Amino acid sequence: MDLLAADALGADEVLSQLDTRIGGLTSSEARDRLVTFGPNALRSHGARPWTVLARQLHNPLLVLLVGAALVAAVTGDRIDAGVIGVIVALSVGLGFFNEYRSEKAVEALHGQIHHDATVLRDGRPVLVDVVQLVPGDVVMLKVGDVVPADLRLAVATELECDEGVLTGESMPAVKQIDAVTGTHGAQELASCAFMGTIVRAGAGTGVVVQTGAATAFGQIAVGLGQNQAQTAFQIGLRRFSVMLVRVAGLLTVGIFVVNLLLHRPFLEALLFSLAIAIGLTPQLLPAIVTVSLSTGTRRLAAKKVLVKRLVAIEDLGNVTTLFTDKTGTLTEGTITFDRAFGPHGEPDDRALLLGLLCNEAVVAEGVAVSGNQLDMALWEAAGPNRVKTGSWSRVGMAPFDHERRLASVVVVDPDGGPLLITKGEPEAILSRCLDVPSEAQSFLDGLFDAGARVIAVATRPAESITAPTPADEAGLRFAGFLAFVDQPKASAATSLRRLAALGVVTKVITGDSERVARKVCADLGMDTTTVLIGSQVDAMDDDALTAAISTTFVFARMTPEQKSRIIQVAHDEGGDIAFLGDGVNDAVALHHADVGISVDTATDVAKDAADILLLDKDLGVLADGIHEGRRIFANTMKYVLMATSSNFGNMFSAAGASLFLPYLPMLPSQLLLNNLLYDAGQMTIPTDNVDREMLTRPSQWDIAFIRRFMSVFGPISSIFDFATFGILLWVLNATQDEFRSGWFVESLATQTLVIFIIRTRRIPFFRSRPSTPLLVAICTTVAVGAVLPFSPVASVLGFTALPVEFLGLLVVLVAVYLALAELGKHWFYASLARAGAKPVQPLAHRRDRHTRHIHRRAARFTQLGTVPKRTGRPRRARGPRKKQPSSR
């Protein structure tokens, strides 16, 4: 059914035309329709081997090299061409193996993330993965839900939806069930709820009309594609790669032209130049980064942390300030009902009964399957009191929202008298009550001081009220308090100390009362000298708030808008901000943070807004994530510095030697083999240990630092290469094959062993030890390079056995090189310290937030594998017109 047609029809007619009923489809009907219409998916995640292989081959230099090798084979140089082909195949295979393994890890990661909707199946509410929704399903909506498909509403109780992801409008749209005639605009589709929008107030029930890419949101998400805007880390990688490619391009063209001027064979000069270019370009950098990130995700997944975007690990490592909710991070997060109190503070079960009657938990077969934590805790803890609600009947309801902080119901008591029951924030209830006992406020303060979470209950007669509105929530009679317990977490204090050791400042930002927040934070040793409350934040301009944030660690009674403002102001002041939240009122702040963090039990909108999902809400796990992010960045930089020092120096030496030697210093196949062995040794860098001082602060890409590093260590490498040339030519009188063999062994040894110098600012081995895999891989690489000239394949590769005296001189030469590199390292970092550390300017990486929100929202509608084409015939959705979002 076309969505516009559904909007024009009554709800009963829509149910009839979709061959469904208000009680929902049966399970067998849903299975059949899933086959017909396909999954309700906009994204797919899966490891596709052919796609990974295509990425390895998507390298113009590689294609040129293979083409030139084929020409060489045709013209008679079949041995060299075959050797080049084998080496290229091994290089491609190495990249494929590592990237495919990483994609499999990502696939497993996404397999653990599920998003559910409350759906009526077989006449009862059940939780169904949103990907499994089909046209005709009946979906129940509550505050905080992300609408899982395009729905025609059948029930709407004070229902409002935030449609900003579609329209760019900041004001929520009011929904109704009456059919509306008309053809345009969101306001004229008020009887429909659209996929990807957020339920901001009220509740409702609707029938699924369109799913997947046929929805209004689906068309926008599919149009954007799967590639998200780049982060600062990705931009840094790109800039570094572009810098090296430019240098390689200039050097390669120059070498090719000079070799032609020296009357070298055209094909030989071309192959040599291309081999130099491949040696200079950071081919393995994407694989190193992907392996590092996927290894990090596996480590974090084992600690119950799911990373929705691989590069979010790097973002997490840059965090300097963490704003976190109190519940579940500093407390156990298991909210249990404690006691009910009457108006004067006396134990009173009537307040509990009223709280059960004014309850929004969704119950199936006597079990609360969804709803807010407090309502579910009441339902589960009430025990026999639930029986007393059976003789009461509900007439109407005004659901909870974060503006009123209240919920109300109209019920009919067993004697037939209608009663309005209002439940919510104590301050909001007391302000609406008549004749509140004088001791009520002091009793409430005592509960807060003890760290209890409290809601209040009040009533009034409701003779003429059937559908309560906010205006009816006045002139109430106070009925009592309901107290809940959420104990401080035993590990919280240790976790806070770990974060502090990582240079992360932790601040608590909560909707709870000032007294409760102060009590919990003080018990954990946090600074509670100053506690800012929401009304104080509203009275401050941005300059005053900036000053207050720097000295305040606890923020209480915060609204969603106030949380978001605090995050934005803190971000504008500098540093990377993380926010951990799990409620509807946390979603906006999660979007504005550099790293949004939520938990698996959070509301749909909070999980969608987050980059990282915790299966266990624990600050200690966050400390692990920050540690892992910084470790990955540090190890990635090791490869970058290797590529810009020894590797660059060796390729430069090869280019220089070709200018004065009567022959090529290395054959193209030997250069490619050298590069392959070097790359294989570097693949273990992601496993390396990282010095403690590299983890105590975040790091940023600094291209200027990399260029300075290249200008120091590149020449050191080249100096020893030319020293090797001198020894081979003038001391040992080496032949052509001996020269190539000797320099192959020396260049491979120096450019790989120097990782032990570059990987740390300390004295290697004595003050900083490499990981065992890195140590074994590097030593193996050097050994293979040293043995090749003596192996049975030496003649095929153009090598020959080396004089014993050269091997002795080689050991001395490598030892002197490593010693000089170590001295150069200390001089380099000492000169930087003397010059004074200049702050690294953050890369301009602020993404278009509207596009970012669409990508994040679309990610919930993800399935493994490809999204199959539908065999049904859904029409194009007609939804709200998309307005250009403001720059804000």
Side-chain angles (χ1 to χ4, degrees):
M1 177 180 290
D2 184 88
L3 190 62
L4 186 61
D7 177 67
L9 296 174
D12 291 339
E13 180 64 21
V14 173
L15 289 167
S16 175
Q17 289 200 20
L18 290 174
D19 195 19
T20 186
R21 60 208 70 83
I22 196 63
L25 299 171
T26 64
S27 297
S28 60
E29 288 174 333
R31 284 193 297 270
D32 292 341
R33 295 191 186 196
L34 186 62
V35 173
T36 301
F37 292 98
N40 182 35
L42 302 175
R43 296 281 189 267
S44 62
H45 287 284
R48 303 178 184 89
W50 291 112
T51 303
V52 176
L53 181 60
R55 283 200 293 270
Q56 309 308 308
L57 299 173
H58 188 63
N59 183 338
L61 290 175
L62 194 65
V63 173
L64 282 174
L65 183 65
V66 171
L70 290 175
V71 172
V74 172
T75 56
D77 195 359
R78 296 183 179 179
I79 293 179
D80 253 12
V83 171
I84 290 173
V86 170
I87 293 172
V88 168
L90 288 174
S91 180
V92 170
L94 179 65
F96 171 82
F97 170 76
N98 284 286
E99 189 168 342
Y100 183 70
R101 185 179 64 173
S102 298
E103 287 213 357
K104 292 294 289 184
V106 175
E107 179 183 297
L109 179 70
H110 281 278
Q112 299 179 60
I113 302 175
H114 299 282
H115 299 279
D116 295 328
T118 303
V119 180
L120 292 173
R121 290 265 176 97
D122 302 311
R124 58 190 180 88
V126 294
L127 294 178
V128 175
D129 193 317
V130 294
V131 175
Q132 304 298 316
L133 291 184
V134 294
D137 264 326
V138 176
V139 178
M140 301 175 69
L141 301 175
K142 63 182 183 301
V143 172
D145 285 351
V146 173
V147 179
D150 280 354
L151 310 178
R152 174 55 166 92
L153 295 170
V155 177
T157 307
E158 303 289 333
L159 182 63
E160 296 181 5
C161 292
D162 179 351
E163 296 178 345
V165 72
L166 296 176
T167 66
E169 295 288 343
S170 59
M171 296 299 294
V174 178
K175 297 299 178 179
Q176 62 184 51
I177 63 170
D178 295 332
V180 177
T181 58
T183 59
H184 302 293
Q187 297 302 318
E188 296 175 296
L189 291 176
S191 64
C192 296
F194 303 101
M195 174 195 254
T197 61
I198 302 169
V199 179
R200 296 305 299 266
T205 301
V207 58
V208 175
V209 177
Q210 296 280 17
T211 59
T215 64
F217 175 74
Q219 291 170 24
I220 296 172
V222 171
L224 288 176
Q226 302 226 23
N227 295 324
Q228 301 196 29
Q230 291 186 319
T231 65
F233 177 70
Q234 292 168 314
I235 291 173
L237 285 177
R238 191 188 73 239
R239 289 183 179 178
F240 167 71
S241 299
V242 167
M243 180 189 74
L244 277 192
V245 167
R246 286 175 177 171
V247 172
L250 291 173
L251 193 59
T252 302
V253 172
I255 293 169
F256 179 64
V257 171
V258 170
N259 274 274
L260 288 181
L261 293 175
L262 293 174
H263 305 293
R264 299 260 169 82
F266 175 87
L267 194 58
E268 183 181 81
L270 178 62
L271 287 171
F272 181 74
S273 301
L274 290 174
I276 288 286
I278 288 176
L280 281 173
T281 52
Q283 298 176 82
L284 205 61
L285 182 57
I288 288 284
V289 172
T290 304
V291 170
S292 295
L293 293 175
S294 61
T295 301
T297 60
R298 289 195 297 271
R299 290 185 180 185
L300 292 179
K303 298 177 180 179
K304 300 185 177 181
V305 180
L306 301 185
V307 182
K308 293 165 69 174
R309 299 178 302 117
L310 280 182
V311 292
I313 300 179
E314 295 284 355
D315 293 337
L316 187 59
N318 289 333
V319 167
T320 55
T321 303
L322 169 67
F323 288 89
T324 178
D325 188 16
K326 172 181 65 64
T327 304
T329 52
L330 303 183
T331 65
E332 292 293 344
T334 304
I335 298 176
T336 56
F337 173 69
D338 185 23
R339 285 173 292 174
F341 302 96
H344 301 279
E346 74 283 4
D348 186 355
D349 286 342
R350 183 172 181 273
L352 174 58
L353 174 60
L354 295 173
L356 289 170
L357 292 170
C358 185
N359 193 296
E360 297 181 77
V362 177
V363 180
E365 298 180 355
V367 177
V369 295
S370 67
N372 71 68
Q373 289 182 310
L374 297 176
D375 279 344
M376 293 181 71
L378 270 180
W379 183 262
E380 296 300 327
N385 286 286
R386 283 186 304 202
V387 178
K388 297 179 183 179
T389 65
S391 56
W392 295 72
S393 60
R394 182 181 295 181
V395 176
M397 183 174 193
F400 178 87
D401 67 56
H402 291 278
E403 296 297 325
R404 295 159 36 240
R405 295 182 180 267
L406 300 172
S408 293
V409 296
V410 174
V411 296
V412 178
D413 66 26
D415 298 327
L419 184 69
L420 174 73
I421 305 173
T422 301
K423 181 183 72 176
E425 182 185 275
E427 294 89 341
I429 290 287
L430 294 178
S431 67
R432 289 167 169 80
C433 288
L434 305 173
D435 301 325
V436 177
S438 57
E439 62 269 28
Q441 184 62 54
S442 60
F443 182 76
L444 175 63
D445 291 342
L447 291 175
F448 282 153
D449 289 339
R453 295 189 65 175
V454 184
I455 58 176
V457 187
T459 64
R460 59 164 283 194
E463 289 82 1
S464 59
I465 303 173
T466 55
T469 66
D472 297 316
E473 296 167 341
L476 303 174
R477 185 171 297 278
F478 179 54
F481 297 114
L482 300 171
F484 299 80
V485 176
D486 187 12
Q487 297 293 340
K489 188 172 288 185
S491 62
T494 302
S495 299
L496 290 171
R497 288 193 293 270
R498 285 190 61 197
L499 288 169
L502 291 170
V504 177
V505 177
T506 304
K507 298 176 184 282
V508 174
I509 184 167
T510 178
D512 278 349
S513 72
E514 174 190 356
R515 290 175 179 269
V516 173
R518 189 187 294 272
K519 163 69 175 172
V520 172
C521 294
D523 287 347
L524 295 172
M526 293 186 66
D527 184 353
T528 59
T529 305
T530 303
V531 178
L532 272 185
I533 61 175
S535 58
Q536 293 172 316
V537 170
D538 285 338
M540 296 178 177
D541 60 21
D542 285 354
D543 290 338
L545 183 57
T546 298
I549 289 174
S550 63
T551 58
T552 303
F553 297 89
V554 182
F555 303 81
R557 282 294 185 226
M558 291 291 153
T559 65
E561 292 76 16
Q562 290 161 349
K563 289 183 179 183
S564 179
R565 184 184 171 208
I566 288 172
I567 297 295
Q568 287 182 297
V569 170
H571 180 273
D572 292 343
E573 182 64 14
D576 284 63
I577 307 298
F579 176 67
L580 192 160
D582 62 355
V584 181
N585 57 338
D586 296 326
V588 178
L590 284 165
H591 278 302
H592 286 144
D594 293 297
V595 183
I597 307 164
S598 194
V599 292
D600 191 43
T601 55
T603 58
D604 288 346
V605 64
K607 288 193 286 187
D608 289 334
D611 300 298
I612 293 173
L613 201 62
L614 306 183
L615 299 183
D616 185 7
K617 196 173 181 182
D618 186 353
L619 288 180
V621 174
L622 271 186
D624 293 334
I626 292 171
H627 181 281
E628 190 67 26
R630 294 179 184 177
R631 191 190 68 82
I632 289 172
F633 187 92
N635 280 337
T636 302
M637 286 303 299
K638 292 174 186 176
Y639 178 80
V640 168
L641 296 179
M642 285 285 288
T644 56
S645 55
S646 63
N647 187 44
F648 180 82
N650 280 1
M651 293 301 106
F652 184 80
S653 300
S658 69
L659 301 181
F660 65 84
L661 287 174
Y663 48 82
L664 291 179
M666 268 196 217
L667 295 173
S669 59
Q670 293 169 344
L671 276 174
L672 292 172
L673 179 60
N674 183 293
N675 192 55
L676 174 66
L677 291 173
Y678 169 80
D679 283 348
Q682 306 308 300
M683 286 303 302
T684 53
I685 285 179
T687 70
D688 193 24
N689 303 321
V690 177
D691 296 339
R692 183 177 302 173
E693 61 268 19
M694 300 301 295
L695 302 174
T696 56
R697 63 189 186 280
S699 301
Q700 295 281 357
W701 280 97
D702 186 353
I703 298 298
F705 168 83
I706 294 172
R707 282 197 293 262
R708 288 196 299 270
F709 194 91
M710 178 191 298
S711 67
V712 172
F713 287 89
I716 291 177
S717 177
S718 292
I719 287 171
F720 277 83
D721 285 333
F722 282 100
T724 303
F725 299 161
I727 292 173
L728 289 168
L729 293 173
W730 300 316
V731 176
L732 300 177
N733 297 314
T735 64
Q736 175 178 296
D737 287 345
E738 286 176 337
F739 182 93
R740 290 169 175 168
S741 303
W743 187 48
F744 177 90
V745 173
E746 183 271 344
S747 66
L748 185 62
T750 54
Q751 72 176 353
T752 53
L753 289 173
V754 79
I755 182 61
F756 298 129
I757 306 298
I758 290 175
R759 59 169 294 277
T760 178
R761 297 188 183 189
R762 303 178 181 181
I763 299 174
F765 294 102
F766 295 99
R767 300 285 302 279
S768 177
R769 295 184 179 180
S771 67
T772 300
L774 179 63
L775 180 63
V776 171
I778 295 301
C779 292
T780 301
T781 299
V782 174
V784 169
V787 168
L788 275 176
F790 303 93
S791 68
V793 297
S795 58
V796 176
L797 296 172
F799 295 134
T800 189
L802 293 167
V804 176
E805 51 269 35
F806 172 75
L807 295 179
L809 288 171
L810 175 65
V811 172
V812 174
L813 201 63
V814 170
V816 173
Y817 166 68
L818 294 178
L820 185 60
E822 177 67 15
L823 292 174
K825 178 185 73 176
H826 285 285
W827 174 85
F828 176 77
Y829 287 116
S831 65
L832 285 182
R834 286 193 299 269
K838 296 181 179 179
V840 178
Q841 294 299 317
L843 296 169
H845 70 287
R846 293 299 156 210
R847 289 155 277 183
D848 173 17
R849 279 182 173 150
H850 186 73
T851 302
R852 183 187 185 200
H853 292 182
I854 292 174
H855 277 299
R856 279 178 163 180
R857 198 74 51 82
R860 73 180 283 103
F861 305 99
T862 299
Q863 73 161 13
L864 293 179
T866 57
V867 179
K869 295 182 178 179
R870 295 161 174 245
T871 56
R873 299 169 58 190
R875 299 181 185 178
R876 181 177 176 86
R878 295 286 296 274
R881 282 180 171 179
K882 182 180 181 296
K883 299 181 181 180
Q884 185 67 29
S886 65
S887 60
R888 173 175 60 83

